[in-house]
Amino acid sequence: MARFQCAGCHRRHSSPLGCPRCDNAGAQIPRCRTHGARHRPGCRTCRPLTRSYSGL
């Protein structure tokens, strides 16, 4: 399951530490199962993802 998306090449992957396609070590965006990398404030899954991403 692809839980992250690279901010550089936009590829979906499962590694929080870097993108296996473009070797980007940073900017791995956590993905909501429903909304993808575009988080919505009212979604119960998106809210904790947005908090964890903004704390990086």
Side-chain angles (χ1 to χ4, degrees):
M1 181 172 102
R3 296 186 306 142
F4 296 91
Q5 180 173 330
C6 179
C9 70
H10 305 291
R11 181 177 181 209
R12 299 173 188 171
H13 55 84
S14 60
S15 173
L17 302 176
C19 177
R21 180 179 185 186
C22 69
D23 294 330
N24 184 359
Q28 305 308 308
I29 303 168
R31 293 179 51 84
C32 173
R33 292 177 192 159
T34 306
H35 305 118
R38 295 184 178 193
H39 300 146
R40 298 198 181 173
C43 173
R44 290 183 182 185
T45 306
C46 287
R47 271 186 272 155
L49 289 176
T50 304
R51 283 190 209 124
S52 67
Y53 180 65
S54 62
L56 293 177

